[in-house]
Amino acid sequence: MRGVRKRFVVWITYRGAVRIGLGIAAVLLTVLLLTQEVPASRTWTYWTLPLSGKVIAIDAGHGGVDGGAVSKQGLVEKDLNLAIALQLRDFLQQAGAIVVMTREGDYDLADEGTSKISKRKTQDLLKRAQFVKDKHASLLLSIHMNSIPSPKWSGAQTFFYPNLPENAILASLVQDEIRRNLGNTERLASTVNSIYLLKAMDEVPSALVEVGFLSNPGEASRLADAEYQKKVAASIYQGILRFTAGEKWSTGAGK
């Protein structure tokens, strides 16, 4: 007896076929997007960051046995310098920069076993300068705090060594942002001839920011506040952005 073939006939309209086709296409497209990344999109996002490709060095002043200035409340400069430096690092990295730091903790760069403090300080400074050069940094920002016997002085000021014309521009743009955002000073950027780290940067644009006076009780309290530290770091960051964008400085700039 011959087998009986069973046939199943599915009736489908033209509109239904179109819907099924679109559904299959949507599923395939979703799978493709989930398993692949579009190189052009990734490249576009990277290169549109304002500091992409820039190597920026941050120096948090002091560290280790060298604590720097100390406020009457017991606030130690080396700790506050580092806190602001880390905030600045985060801003710069988010803008695409490659950030190198002379220190990321409470230590110096002197040779292990060097006990004499004055010798440690000398070795530390020499190695910080060499570190920045070895990293081929595009620029250097050093963060410090001021302290003098009188408690009446306050406010930040940016300093530069006048061996490169770019130094005055960088320092002035950073100081302008500090004046505008912090509103704690009317000072302008100023030259300094006694800072070894700045003098050693013969090819790297550099500036040193004294972000405030630990000898002023009110300002010392602000400098210990995380939100204020972030505001200081943001001001320095904005100055760096203006500098890397090629902005020049003149007497009327920022006014």
Side-chain angles (χ1 to χ4, degrees):
M1 185 176 180
R2 294 181 180 179
V4 179
R5 292 183 180 180
K6 296 182 180 180
R7 295 181 180 179
F8 295 91
V9 179
V10 178
W11 294 96
I12 186 170
T13 64
Y14 174 77
R15 183 177 295 178
V18 170
R19 287 179 178 174
I20 292 173
L22 290 174
I24 294 172
V27 170
L28 292 175
L29 182 59
T30 301
V31 171
L32 182 65
L33 290 174
L34 289 174
T35 56
Q36 294 187 358
E37 209 174 328
V38 183
S41 174
R42 184 170 65 252
T43 303
W44 175 260
T45 301
Y46 175 77
W47 287 110
T48 52
L49 293 173
L51 296 178
S52 293
K54 298 288 185 183
V55 179
I56 297 179
I58 305 174
D59 171 58
H62 306 285
V65 296
D66 179 14
V70 181
S71 74
K72 286 186 177 181
Q73 304 99 312
L75 299 169
V76 183
E77 180 188 355
K78 65 176 181 178
D79 300 328
L80 304 182
N81 289 342
L82 181 59
I84 293 172
L86 292 173
Q87 292 271 21
L88 178 57
R89 177 200 63 186
D90 292 346
F91 280 120
L92 293 170
Q93 287 180 338
Q94 288 168 12
I98 300 168
V99 180
V100 294
M101 300 184 66
T102 57
R103 69 180 181 98
E104 296 184 83
D106 184 14
Y107 54 83
D108 61 25
L109 303 186
D111 294 334
E112 186 177 351
T114 303
S115 56
K116 193 174 180 180
I117 293 180
S118 60
K119 191 173 182 180
R120 288 197 70 87
K121 288 183 178 181
T122 299
Q123 287 183 355
D124 178 51
L125 288 173
L126 290 170
K127 289 192 174 185
R128 289 187 193 220
Q130 192 59 50
F131 172 84
V132 175
K133 293 178 180 179
D134 290 345
K135 295 298 182 180
H136 304 290
S138 302
L139 60 92
L140 163 69
L141 254 297
S142 184
I143 298 172
H144 284 257
M145 294 185 185
N146 227 326
S147 181
I148 57 176
S150 173
K152 72 176 184 178
W153 297 102
S154 64
Q157 188 165 16
T158 307
F159 296 91
F160 64 95
Y161 184 67
N163 61 330
L164 296 175
E166 295 94 334
N167 292 349
I169 299 172
L170 173 61
S172 296
L173 292 172
V174 168
Q175 183 67 17
D176 187 55
E177 288 297 320
I178 287 173
R179 291 174 62 193
R180 185 168 65 88
N181 295 320
L182 301 183
N184 65 5
T185 183
E186 289 300 319
R187 299 185 185 95
L188 300 176
S190 179
T191 58
V192 65
N193 296 311
S194 58
I195 306 298
Y196 170 78
L197 188 59
L198 297 185
K199 293 172 71 174
M201 296 297 107
D202 47 5
E203 296 181 358
V204 181
S206 59
L208 182 147
V209 188
E210 297 274 6
V211 299
F213 283 78
L214 282 178
S215 49
N216 180 290
E219 187 158 66
S221 296
R222 289 192 294 275
L223 289 168
D225 179 73
E227 284 304 311
Y228 187 78
Q229 292 169 358
K230 188 173 184 179
K231 197 172 181 181
V232 172
S235 300
I236 299 172
Y237 164 69
Q238 289 293 334
I240 292 173
L241 280 182
R242 291 170 64 183
F243 175 78
T244 56
E247 184 173 335
K248 302 301 180 183
W249 179 260
S250 63
T251 305
K255 297 181 180 178

mmCIF file with all atom_site columns, all heavy atoms in Angstrom, residues 25-37:
data_model
loop_
_atom_site.group_PDB
_atom_site.id
_atom_site.type_symbol
_atom_site.label_atom_id
_atom_site.label_alt_id
_atom_site.label_comp_id
_atom_site.label_asym_id
_atom_site.label_entity_id
_atom_site.label_seq_id
_atom_site.pdbx_PDB_ins_code
_atom_site.Cartn_x
_atom_site.Cartn_y
_atom_site.Cartn_z
_atom_site.occupancy
_atom_site.B_iso_or_equiv
_atom_site.pdbx_formal_charge
_atom_site.auth_seq_id
_atom_site.auth_comp_id
_atom_site.auth_asym_id
_atom_site.auth_atom_id
_atom_site.pdbx_PDB_model_num
ATOM 1  N N   . ALA A 1 25 ? 14.850 41.036 9.423  1.00 0.00 ? 25 ALA A N   1
ATOM 2  C CA  . ALA A 1 25 ? 15.902 42.029 9.174  1.00 0.00 ? 25 ALA A CA  1
ATOM 3  C C   . ALA A 1 25 ? 16.262 42.785 10.449 1.00 0.00 ? 25 ALA A C   1
ATOM 4  O O   . ALA A 1 25 ? 17.431 43.058 10.729 1.00 0.00 ? 25 ALA A O   1
ATOM 5  C CB  . ALA A 1 25 ? 15.444 43.008 8.082  1.00 0.00 ? 25 ALA A CB  1
ATOM 6  N N   . ALA A 1 26 ? 15.245 43.109 11.247 1.00 0.00 ? 26 ALA A N   1
ATOM 7  C CA  . ALA A 1 26 ? 15.487 43.839 12.500 1.00 0.00 ? 26 ALA A CA  1
ATOM 8  C C   . ALA A 1 26 ? 16.301 42.982 13.468 1.00 0.00 ? 26 ALA A C   1
ATOM 9  O O   . ALA A 1 26 ? 17.212 43.469 14.146 1.00 0.00 ? 26 ALA A O   1
ATOM 10 C CB  . ALA A 1 26 ? 14.158 44.243 13.135 1.00 0.00 ? 26 ALA A CB  1
ATOM 11 N N   . VAL A 1 27 ? 15.976 41.687 13.545 1.00 0.00 ? 27 VAL A N   1
ATOM 12 C CA  . VAL A 1 27 ? 16.719 40.788 14.433 1.00 0.00 ? 27 VAL A CA  1
ATOM 13 C C   . VAL A 1 27 ? 18.172 40.680 13.992 1.00 0.00 ? 27 VAL A C   1
ATOM 14 O O   . VAL A 1 27 ? 19.102 40.756 14.814 1.00 0.00 ? 27 VAL A O   1
ATOM 15 C CB  . VAL A 1 27 ? 16.054 39.395 14.455 1.00 0.00 ? 27 VAL A CB  1
ATOM 16 C CG1 . VAL A 1 27 ? 16.953 38.393 15.187 1.00 0.00 ? 27 VAL A CG1 1
ATOM 17 C CG2 . VAL A 1 27 ? 14.696 39.466 15.131 1.00 0.00 ? 27 VAL A CG2 1
ATOM 18 N N   . LEU A 1 28 ? 18.404 40.510 12.688 1.00 0.00 ? 28 LEU A N   1
ATOM 19 C CA  . LEU A 1 28 ? 19.765 40.395 12.173 1.00 0.00 ? 28 LEU A CA  1
ATOM 20 C C   . LEU A 1 28 ? 20.567 41.670 12.421 1.00 0.00 ? 28 LEU A C   1
ATOM 21 O O   . LEU A 1 28 ? 21.748 41.634 12.772 1.00 0.00 ? 28 LEU A O   1
ATOM 22 C CB  . LEU A 1 28 ? 19.732 40.068 10.679 1.00 0.00 ? 28 LEU A CB  1
ATOM 23 C CG  . LEU A 1 28 ? 19.197 38.678 10.293 1.00 0.00 ? 28 LEU A CG  1
ATOM 24 C CD1 . LEU A 1 28 ? 19.101 38.552 8.776  1.00 0.00 ? 28 LEU A CD1 1
ATOM 25 C CD2 . LEU A 1 28 ? 20.100 37.590 10.869 1.00 0.00 ? 28 LEU A CD2 1
ATOM 26 N N   . LEU A 1 29 ? 19.927 42.825 12.242 1.00 0.00 ? 29 LEU A N   1
ATOM 27 C CA  . LEU A 1 29 ? 20.599 44.101 12.460 1.00 0.00 ? 29 LEU A CA  1
ATOM 28 C C   . LEU A 1 29 ? 20.981 44.275 13.933 1.00 0.00 ? 29 LEU A C   1
ATOM 29 O O   . LEU A 1 29 ? 22.075 44.748 14.256 1.00 0.00 ? 29 LEU A O   1
ATOM 30 C CB  . LEU A 1 29 ? 19.695 45.252 12.024 1.00 0.00 ? 29 LEU A CB  1
ATOM 31 C CG  . LEU A 1 29 ? 20.283 46.676 12.159 1.00 0.00 ? 29 LEU A CG  1
ATOM 32 C CD1 . LEU A 1 29 ? 21.553 46.803 11.323 1.00 0.00 ? 29 LEU A CD1 1
ATOM 33 C CD2 . LEU A 1 29 ? 19.252 47.717 11.719 1.00 0.00 ? 29 LEU A CD2 1
ATOM 34 N N   . THR A 1 30 ? 20.090 43.861 14.829 1.00 0.00 ? 30 THR A N   1
ATOM 35 C CA  . THR A 1 30 ? 20.365 43.955 16.266 1.00 0.00 ? 30 THR A CA  1
ATOM 36 C C   . THR A 1 30 ? 21.547 43.097 16.643 1.00 0.00 ? 30 THR A C   1
ATOM 37 O O   . THR A 1 30 ? 22.436 43.515 17.400 1.00 0.00 ? 30 THR A O   1
ATOM 38 C CB  . THR A 1 30 ? 19.125 43.530 17.081 1.00 0.00 ? 30 THR A CB  1
ATOM 39 O OG1 . THR A 1 30 ? 18.017 44.386 16.736 1.00 0.00 ? 30 THR A OG1 1
ATOM 40 C CG2 . THR A 1 30 ? 19.402 43.631 18.576 1.00 0.00 ? 30 THR A CG2 1
ATOM 41 N N   . VAL A 1 31 ? 21.594 41.861 16.123 1.00 0.00 ? 31 VAL A N   1
ATOM 42 C CA  . VAL A 1 31 ? 22.712 40.956 16.397 1.00 0.00 ? 31 VAL A CA  1
ATOM 43 C C   . VAL A 1 31 ? 24.015 41.557 15.897 1.00 0.00 ? 31 VAL A C   1
ATOM 44 O O   . VAL A 1 31 ? 25.055 41.516 16.563 1.00 0.00 ? 31 VAL A O   1
ATOM 45 C CB  . VAL A 1 31 ? 22.471 39.582 15.743 1.00 0.00 ? 31 VAL A CB  1
ATOM 46 C CG1 . VAL A 1 31 ? 23.725 38.711 15.849 1.00 0.00 ? 31 VAL A CG1 1
ATOM 47 C CG2 . VAL A 1 31 ? 21.279 38.894 16.398 1.00 0.00 ? 31 VAL A CG2 1
ATOM 48 N N   . LEU A 1 32 ? 23.976 42.158 14.712 1.00 0.00 ? 32 LEU A N   1
ATOM 49 C CA  . LEU A 1 32 ? 25.172 42.767 14.127 1.00 0.00 ? 32 LEU A CA  1
ATOM 50 C C   . LEU A 1 32 ? 25.691 43.910 14.982 1.00 0.00 ? 32 LEU A C   1
ATOM 51 O O   . LEU A 1 32 ? 26.890 44.026 15.241 1.00 0.00 ? 32 LEU A O   1
ATOM 52 C CB  . LEU A 1 32 ? 24.853 43.259 12.710 1.00 0.00 ? 32 LEU A CB  1
ATOM 53 C CG  . LEU A 1 32 ? 26.026 43.881 11.931 1.00 0.00 ? 32 LEU A CG  1
ATOM 54 C CD1 . LEU A 1 32 ? 27.098 42.815 11.675 1.00 0.00 ? 32 LEU A CD1 1
ATOM 55 C CD2 . LEU A 1 32 ? 25.537 44.470 10.622 1.00 0.00 ? 32 LEU A CD2 1
ATOM 56 N N   . LEU A 1 33 ? 24.796 44.760 15.466 1.00 0.00 ? 33 LEU A N   1
ATOM 57 C CA  . LEU A 1 33 ? 25.194 45.912 16.287 1.00 0.00 ? 33 LEU A CA  1
ATOM 58 C C   . LEU A 1 33 ? 25.743 45.478 17.637 1.00 0.00 ? 33 LEU A C   1
ATOM 59 O O   . LEU A 1 33 ? 26.635 46.119 18.199 1.00 0.00 ? 33 LEU A O   1
ATOM 60 C CB  . LEU A 1 33 ? 24.006 46.854 16.491 1.00 0.00 ? 33 LEU A CB  1
ATOM 61 C CG  . LEU A 1 33 ? 23.541 47.618 15.253 1.00 0.00 ? 33 LEU A CG  1
ATOM 62 C CD1 . LEU A 1 33 ? 22.267 48.405 15.552 1.00 0.00 ? 33 LEU A CD1 1
ATOM 63 C CD2 . LEU A 1 33 ? 24.638 48.560 14.754 1.00 0.00 ? 33 LEU A CD2 1
ATOM 64 N N   . LEU A 1 34 ? 25.221 44.387 18.175 1.00 0.00 ? 34 LEU A N   1
ATOM 65 C CA  . LEU A 1 34 ? 25.681 43.916 19.484 1.00 0.00 ? 34 LEU A CA  1
ATOM 66 C C   . LEU A 1 34 ? 27.035 43.224 19.414 1.00 0.00 ? 34 LEU A C   1
ATOM 67 O O   . LEU A 1 34 ? 27.763 43.172 20.400 1.00 0.00 ? 34 LEU A O   1
ATOM 68 C CB  . LEU A 1 34 ? 24.645 42.952 20.086 1.00 0.00 ? 34 LEU A CB  1
ATOM 69 C CG  . LEU A 1 34 ? 23.326 43.583 20.552 1.00 0.00 ? 34 LEU A CG  1
ATOM 70 C CD1 . LEU A 1 34 ? 22.353 42.500 20.992 1.00 0.00 ? 34 LEU A CD1 1
ATOM 71 C CD2 . LEU A 1 34 ? 23.564 44.578 21.689 1.00 0.00 ? 34 LEU A CD2 1
ATOM 72 N N   . THR A 1 35 ? 27.370 42.666 18.271 1.00 0.00 ? 35 THR A N   1
ATOM 73 C CA  . THR A 1 35 ? 28.615 41.902 18.150 1.00 0.00 ? 35 THR A CA  1
ATOM 74 C C   . THR A 1 35 ? 29.743 42.690 17.512 1.00 0.00 ? 35 THR A C   1
ATOM 75 O O   . THR A 1 35 ? 30.888 42.263 17.528 1.00 0.00 ? 35 THR A O   1
ATOM 76 C CB  . THR A 1 35 ? 28.385 40.631 17.313 1.00 0.00 ? 35 THR A CB  1
ATOM 77 O OG1 . THR A 1 35 ? 27.842 40.995 16.028 1.00 0.00 ? 35 THR A OG1 1
ATOM 78 C CG2 . THR A 1 35 ? 27.430 39.695 18.029 1.00 0.00 ? 35 THR A CG2 1
ATOM 79 N N   . GLN A 1 36 ? 29.463 43.847 16.965 1.00 0.00 ? 36 GLN A N   1
ATOM 80 C CA  . GLN A 1 36 ? 30.505 44.627 16.308 1.00 0.00 ? 36 GLN A CA  1
ATOM 81 C C   . GLN A 1 36 ? 30.452 46.062 16.783 1.00 0.00 ? 36 GLN A C   1
ATOM 82 O O   . GLN A 1 36 ? 29.425 46.576 17.187 1.00 0.00 ? 36 GLN A O   1
ATOM 83 C CB  . GLN A 1 36 ? 30.347 44.591 14.783 1.00 0.00 ? 36 GLN A CB  1
ATOM 84 C CG  . GLN A 1 36 ? 30.575 43.210 14.197 1.00 0.00 ? 36 GLN A CG  1
ATOM 85 C CD  . GLN A 1 36 ? 30.569 43.262 12.681 1.00 0.00 ? 36 GLN A CD  1
ATOM 86 O OE1 . GLN A 1 36 ? 30.361 44.313 12.088 1.00 0.00 ? 36 GLN A OE1 1
ATOM 87 N NE2 . GLN A 1 36 ? 30.800 42.121 12.056 1.00 0.00 ? 36 GLN A NE2 1
ATOM 88 N N   . GLU A 1 37 ? 31.628 46.715 16.759 1.00 0.00 ? 37 GLU A N   1
ATOM 89 C CA  . GLU A 1 37 ? 31.734 48.132 17.098 1.00 0.00 ? 37 GLU A CA  1
ATOM 90 C C   . GLU A 1 37 ? 32.173 48.849 15.846 1.00 0.00 ? 37 GLU A C   1
ATOM 91 O O   . GLU A 1 37 ? 33.030 48.373 15.104 1.00 0.00 ? 37 GLU A O   1
ATOM 92 C CB  . GLU A 1 37 ? 32.777 48.328 18.211 1.00 0.00 ? 37 GLU A CB  1
ATOM 93 C CG  . GLU A 1 37 ? 32.486 49.525 19.086 1.00 0.00 ? 37 GLU A CG  1
ATOM 94 C CD  . GLU A 1 37 ? 33.469 49.587 20.243 1.00 0.00 ? 37 GLU A CD  1
ATOM 95 O OE1 . GLU A 1 37 ? 33.906 48.539 20.704 1.00 0.00 ? 37 GLU A OE1 1
ATOM 96 O OE2 . GLU A 1 37 ? 33.804 50.716 20.642 1.00 0.00 ? 37 GLU A OE2 1
#
